[in-house]
Amino acid sequence: MNETAFWQIIELSKGNPTLSFETQCVIMSDELMAHTPEEIIAFEHILRQKMELANTWPLMAASFVVCSFIADDIFEDFRAWIVGQGKTNFEKIIKDPNHICQILTPNLAKNLQGEHMLYVAANAYLEKMNADDEATFYNQIPAVATKEVKTKWPETKNDFRKLLPKLYDTFWNEKRIQERIAEAESNA
């Protein structure tokens, strides 16, 4: 599988704009079932490459603004969701995270469901191979070089607004931020 086929599978899954992202991911898994196990593994590898490309400071800040919280798993799910928006949106978001405002509403941001994208290839592979051991799949994925993201967290809300003006004005939710912080502290 090459990048063109990777993006085609994602675009195919986006056929109906009223579908949830979870349903879109199920469609992707179903589509991958028509491919060889090697192509499914390649799909996962390309996904990881794209997610690493999205592993940047501007997108980490965008993840905080959109999701009202930041943690490793939230940022990973956010990047997976970005890839799941298709090649055109992915490239626009990489270039300018404010583009997220064109494809997402604050109401939908409360439950992005990006984590479902992380299981698209594994689900297809396991079903195709009639297996249930995820390690068999994940151990075959070539490693992707990762980079450490150097963060420059804004000191004030106004600094966030300067960094990501459209995102801030659309998604900033002080009440939700405080709720998410309290939730994280109670789970610690």
Side-chain angles (χ1 to χ4, degrees):
M1 174 167 301
N2 59 29
E3 284 193 26
T4 301
F6 172 84
W7 290 119
Q8 285 173 341
I9 289 168
I10 292 172
E11 288 304 323
L12 180 94
S13 74
K14 293 173 56 189
N16 182 342
T18 62
L19 294 177
S20 70
F21 190 65
E22 179 179 6
T23 301
Q24 180 187 337
C25 291
V26 169
I27 292 168
M28 279 185 252
S29 287
D30 290 347
E31 178 61 27
L32 275 174
M33 289 286 295
H35 294 269
T36 67
E38 294 76 22
E39 290 171 323
I40 297 170
I41 290 166
F43 181 95
E44 177 71 17
H45 183 67
I46 295 168
L47 171 63
R48 291 180 184 197
Q49 289 174 322
K50 297 305 173 190
M51 288 178 60
E52 185 57 31
L53 189 60
N55 187 19
T56 66
W57 159 241
L59 286 175
M60 186 181 286
S63 177
F64 175 77
V65 172
V66 171
C67 300
S68 301
F69 193 72
I70 195 71
D72 291 344
D73 60 335
I74 290 171
F75 186 43
E76 179 180 48
D77 295 350
F78 183 74
R79 290 179 293 140
W81 176 84
I82 291 170
V83 176
Q85 302 313 298
K87 182 179 183 185
T88 300
N89 284 322
F90 176 80
E91 290 173 349
K92 287 179 180 180
I93 292 167
I94 294 291
K95 192 176 202 177
D96 179 11
N98 286 296
H99 178 73
I100 293 167
C101 295
Q102 304 299 313
I103 60 173
L104 184 66
T105 65
N107 192 43
L108 291 175
K110 292 177 184 173
N111 189 16
L112 285 180
Q113 302 179 329
E115 69 275 8
H116 296 292
M117 185 73 185
L118 301 173
Y119 302 105
V120 165
N123 290 342
Y125 182 88
L126 293 173
E127 189 169 332
K128 185 169 193 77
M129 303 304 290
N130 196 26
D132 59 3
D133 180 17
E134 290 181 358
T136 341
F137 171 71
Y138 289 114
N139 289 338
Q140 297 180 68
I141 311 303
V144 173
T146 59
K147 62 185 173 292
E148 184 177 332
V149 177
K150 295 190 190 258
T151 59
K152 302 169 249 172
W153 288 103
E155 298 285 326
T156 66
K157 291 182 220 175
N158 195 41
D159 291 340
F160 266 108
R161 178 176 269 129
K162 287 177 188 173
L163 180 65
L164 299 162
K166 290 178 187 173
L167 277 179
Y168 182 94
D169 290 343
T170 304
F171 294 101
W172 190 269
N173 184 332
E174 189 67 36
K175 180 181 177 200
R176 187 163 178 246
I177 291 168
Q178 295 309 316
E179 290 170 353
R180 302 283 310 262
I181 291 170
E183 181 182 313
E185 288 173 349
S186 71
N187 291 334

